[in-house]
Amino acid sequence: MKKSSLVFNSSSRAMNTSVAGHQVSQSSRHKWNFAGSQTRRNSILVGGSNRKRNILDRNANQAPRKPVRVLDNDGNDVTPLPLYHAEPGDMPSKPGRFLDEIFSSSESDQLKSTSSFNMRSFGSFLGSSLPSSLSTTASMTKGTEDSVPKLDIPIIPPPPCGQRKRDNVKQHVTEEMLDDVVDVCLTETDTISLFDLPPLIFMSEDADDTKAIKERNLQYAELCKNRTGNDKYVERSMQTFSGAPKEKQIQTDKIVMVDEGTFATIWDIYDSFCDQNKNPESEKANNPETTVNTSKGHEKRGEKSSSTLSIGSTIGSLLEMETCSLNAESNPELIMLTESFQHSLLVMERSIVANLFQPKLAAYRQLPIIKDPDSTVKPETEEKSEEGEESSSSPTLERLWAFSCELTRGWNITCMVWNKENPDLLAVAYGDCDSTNQKPSLICCWSLKNPTWPERVFHCHSCVTSLDFSANNPSQLAVGMYDGTIAIYTVQSRNNIHCIANSSECSKRHLKPVWQVNWSKQEITLSGEDRVEALVAVSADGRITKWLLCSNGLECIDLMKLKKTKNSKKKAVESKKKTEHMGSALTPGLCMDFHPTDSSVYLVGTWEGLIQKCSVANCHNVLETYQNHFCPVNSIEWSPFSPDVFLSCSSDWTIQLWKQECLTPVLSFTSAQRAVYAVRWSPNWSTIFAAINGLQVEIWDLNLSILHPTIVHQAAPGVTVTSVLFSRGTDCVLVGDSEGQVTVYQLKNLSVGQGKQVTKAVNT
Amino acid sequence: MAEVEETLKRIQSQNGVQGIIIVNTEGIPIKTTLDNASTVQYAGLIHQLVMKARSTVRDIDPQNDLTFLRVRSKKNEIMIAPDKDYFLIVIQNPSD
């Protein structure tokens, strides 16, 4: 829509739109006033009816503009003054053709017509004129390219003619006029159509429904035409009541938002899965508070976790589970009494001790000793140790540690033995072999993992003289005592009964001290698989008995009776013995050893100094008699490497090396002039054996020397060494003394060759 | 019970042992040889560590479980024996 400014030429016309307004102030009623307004309207109407004419003429030519002059009845010039006075230099407006034409044409009509008009005629005129204008516009739009009719609405600037009004008023208003009653008639103007935008829809002539649409348009136009004055259409007005607004307030509790999170860890899922498969009823019974939904176990744990801790939901879920079970064990005492706690204590103690003993144990196990990088060892001690290392290049015993504790202090050690299956387990017997009064004795089972406290402690009523672990049942420990009792202990569990068998009820039990007990594997049994182990004991009453574990205890069978032999050389001794003969024809056996490979053959060392080789099968006759010692044979042992060689030691200060076939000893060793109480072969090297003779420990290496022991280790003053034991697999030797200490020594700088047989050494 | 007490005494008397703490599952110390402040601190911190360690072990293999945990530091070593119902914590300085 183009806006154009309508420039009224002041000379051409004078229009005063405010005339109507100021007509009120005028005292005289002038007909022309009404006419004036009507004139305007009429002019518009006329303009509307003549629009067609005007528009048609528009393109042709511009209507010549005549100066318009309006005269009233009296002949006064009441030509409306123009509202807008064009200033010089203003843009020449486009010719407001519409209104121009209106006014140009209207004046000619107006001049012709009279002033009195009827409203109704206006209405009808208006009504008749409007459709025509609409139709014209409709037709126009079809014809013209430019669909938008050029409607020029004059922008009527605010009249700068206020002065003019006043001027007018000044002329006419008098005092009398002011007091007059003025009738004011307000009428409503008809609708002035300022803008008419016809439908923009282009109808293509070829479309199918074009015709239908055109018809409908025509119908509608007809309808609008018929609407006025038609009884079918009644004007009505409606009023909707707007309800009074009312305020209403609601208050709710604040919705609390809580963040929840959970970790779905692998073990959490696994636990839930496992618990699902467990009995769900029992769980519900135990935990009435927590509702365990077995179908959603995992998610439930997640929810449980959120309610407990904020540290982490993994911790939360664990704790929740634990708190459920905590109902049972809230008492700290109960916790400490549980099995697992005691086990934890055990492991803890071992760890602590291992920390302390680590270098020693490493040396024992022949591992490299790791120096603690954080230890605050003073440099002086380091120097000392270095010096020590440099000086001793000769074979020596290095003390590693000692098994000792409060419990065992002061006891005399009588026997030490390793467990056959667990090489870290050591059984030690403490006791005083005093024939006068029977003192209770002690058996302690030590573990290498804890040298400060024994794992098991057994109390025996009599002095224990011999120990041996079983090979078939590694937890069984056979005990031979001074009063002749033989017992079998089990070392397995802490709390159960330890002694599982006792020979005190056997009728054929020994009444004299049992000096040695041995488990030995016998011949293949009927089943052919397991070799039955027999417990064989040698006692001071001269019997060698084989014990069997029956349902009601131990039963024994005599294997051999050690008969005293007549020794023609020593008649004095014989005579003494003759007197004893009356009492018993048996001589005490002090030690025995089974052949390592042929378990039916065994050697017995007797009080007389004889060594007798016997057979299990033959219980009457001796196979061989080795005679050389003239004092009681204290210890006898087959060599673990050479099957025919054995060692014997006796109170006659000698150690004899025998070969099985030869009835005289092959070698004889003497070092100190004291009775040799024990001799042991080393299980690691074939030519090394250890011997103790009360005040010192001697290590003999047959490769190096057969005259002197390679290592001589003196015991501490006042302490007698009573027992010696080698340990398999390591180069350590254990020495038990009369103070209750089992000291572990490491053989240092011993250049030993492996695999050399003693026989070769002997033969060379 | 006496045996347990005796064992605890033995452990306490070992060379370099600085303290023993027994904590129940809720993190409350049942028995301790250290002062209260240290005990509470140890209990709280070690609890978290053990939970994390156990979680790690079980994440790798859910059928596995943590049996013992040792933390060696410059000044001492903390040994923890965890269980379902308790933690046993021992602090030792082995070079003493």
Side-chain angles (χ1 to χ4, degrees), chain A residues 471-517:
Chain A
N472 272 3
N473 309 317
S475 65
Q476 286 184 357
L477 178 67
V479 178
M481 291 185 233
Y482 195 79
D483 65 349
T485 319
I486 292 176
I488 299 180
Y489 281 79
T490 174
V491 300
Q492 213 159 21
S493 65
R494 264 174 197 276
N495 304 324
N496 294 355
I497 304 164
H498 306 297
C499 181
I500 56 175
N502 201 322
S503 76
S504 41
E505 292 176 17
C506 178
S507 54
K508 289 195 281 179
R509 67 182 184 280
H510 296 286
L511 301 165
K512 295 264 185 82
V514 172
W515 289 114
Q516 188 147 3
V517 288

Side-chain angles (χ1 to χ4, degrees), chain A residues 525-591:
Chain A
T525 57
L526 303 167
S527 60
E529 291 168 358
D530 235 1
R531 289 179 65 179
V532 173
E533 255 191 338
L535 176 62
V536 179
V538 64
S539 161
D541 58 3
R543 287 186 310 157
I544 299 166
T545 50
K546 178 166 140 184
W547 293 83
L548 302 161
L549 190 62
C550 308
S551 52
N552 38 348
L554 287 168
E555 290 293 323
C556 77
I557 304 170
D558 274 357
L559 283 181
M560 179 60 70
K561 288 192 171 72
L562 298 166
K563 296 190 187 81
K564 291 181 181 162
T565 55
K566 292 182 181 176
N567 200 342
S568 54
K569 292 182 185 177
K570 298 171 184 176
K571 283 189 181 174
V573 177
E574 202 181 341
S575 62
K576 271 191 189 173
K577 278 189 186 171
K578 272 187 179 171
T579 54
E580 285 178 343
H581 257 289
M582 301 302 139
S584 61
L586 301 171
T587 169
L590 292 177
C591 54

Side-chain angles (χ1 to χ4, degrees), chain A residues 165-471:
Chain A
K165 286 187 234 164
R166 283 194 224 108
D167 289 339
N168 288 338
V169 170
K170 274 184 191 168
Q171 290 168 10
H172 299 288
V173 173
T174 58
E175 285 295 324
E176 297 89 32
M177 281 192 262
L178 281 173
D179 292 332
D180 285 347
V181 174
V182 178
D183 289 331
V184 177
C185 190
L186 295 172
T187 54
E188 180 196 333
T189 59
D190 281 329
T191 308
I192 302 168
S193 172
L194 291 175
F195 176 60
D196 188 13
L197 181 69
L200 297 176
I201 300 169
F202 263 114
M203 296 296 163
S204 144
E205 299 287 340
D206 301 334
D208 291 335
D209 20 324
T210 306
K211 216 178 182 179
I213 292 168
K214 278 186 195 169
E215 277 180 21
R216 280 193 61 203
N217 285 347
L218 285 170
Q219 274 176 18
Y220 186 67
E222 289 287 327
L223 190 71
C224 288
K225 213 195 288 181
N226 295 337
R227 202 179 69 171
T228 56
N230 200 339
D231 288 331
K232 277 192 189 172
Y233 298 96
V234 175
E235 287 222 356
R236 244 183 99 173
S237 52
M238 301 257 294
Q239 184 179 17
T240 55
F241 293 106
S242 53
K246 181 178 163 187
E247 272 195 25
K248 191 174 171 187
Q249 288 177 354
I250 320 173
Q251 190 172 19
T252 59
D253 285 337
K254 184 180 174 188
I255 299 169
V256 176
M257 310 283 264
V258 174
D259 277 336
E260 267 196 31
T262 180
F263 283 110
T265 53
I266 296 174
W267 55 265
D268 211 356
I269 297 169
Y270 177 81
D271 280 346
S272 318
F273 183 71
C274 285
D275 286 342
Q276 247 186 40
N277 296 337
K278 275 189 208 165
N279 214 348
E281 288 105 21
S282 67
E283 266 195 340
K284 279 178 186 168
N286 289 339
N287 311 322
E289 306 134 22
T290 62
T291 55
V292 177
N293 190 354
T294 54
S295 62
K296 294 184 196 174
H298 162 61
E299 287 124 14
K300 269 290 174 184
R301 270 166 219 286
E303 288 166 23
K304 271 194 251 171
S305 71
S306 63
S307 60
T308 51
L309 275 182
S310 59
I311 295 172
S313 58
T314 55
I315 303 170
S317 63
L318 246 184
L319 264 189
E320 181 70 12
M321 280 170 59
E322 288 164 3
T323 49
C324 292
S325 58
L326 197 65
N327 298 331
E329 296 203 64
S330 49
N331 198 354
E333 300 285 318
L334 286 173
I335 293 175
M336 286 168 64
L337 282 175
T338 55
E339 188 74 37
S340 62
F341 185 76
Q342 291 174 4
H343 180 74
S344 298
L345 274 179
L346 176 77
V347 175
M348 184 67 75
E349 197 181 354
R350 286 187 179 179
S351 313
I352 295 168
V353 166
N355 270 340
L356 297 170
F357 281 92
Q358 197 273 334
K360 312 294 184 197
L361 288 173
Y364 178 87
R365 300 213 195 267
Q366 296 175 316
L367 295 169
I369 299 170
I370 304 164
K371 212 178 130 214
D372 189 3
D374 300 319
S375 71
T376 54
V377 175
K378 291 172 191 170
E380 301 158 10
T381 52
E382 282 185 20
E383 285 173 13
K384 271 190 192 170
S385 61
E386 281 174 15
E387 285 173 14
E389 280 174 23
E390 287 168 8
S391 61
S392 63
S393 55
S394 59
T396 182
L397 288 182
E398 186 185 320
R399 184 184 187 279
L400 291 179
W401 76 87
F403 288 101
S404 78
C405 65
E406 278 294 327
L407 198 63
T408 62
R409 200 160 295 172
W411 291 79
N412 180 38
I413 294 176
T414 54
C415 184
M416 297 187 295
V417 67
W418 286 108
N419 187 302
K420 299 272 174 21
E421 177 153 319
N422 182 0
D424 291 342
L425 198 60
L426 176 72
V428 180
Y430 302 83
D432 281 326
C433 292
D434 201 349
S435 56
T436 51
N437 43 351
Q438 306 267 327
K439 279 196 278 185
S441 75
L442 207 60
I443 303 173
C444 285
C445 291
W446 295 85
S447 167
L448 272 174
K449 296 170 186 169
N450 187 359
T452 59
W453 189 259
E455 301 291 317
R456 302 276 186 272
V457 177
F458 309 131
H459 292 269
C460 301
H461 58 274
S462 168
C463 175
V464 175
T465 55
S466 172
L467 293 173
D468 198 21
F469 269 108
S470 161

Side-chain angles (χ1 to χ4, degrees), chain A residues 610-632:
Chain A
L610 299 174
I611 300 166
Q612 293 179 337
K613 186 168 86 171
C614 316
S615 165
V616 168
N618 192 345
C619 54
H620 296 290
N621 294 331
V622 196
L623 293 177
E624 296 277 354
T625 306
Y626 303 92
Q627 189 171 4
N628 190 282
H629 291 289
F630 48 88
C631 279

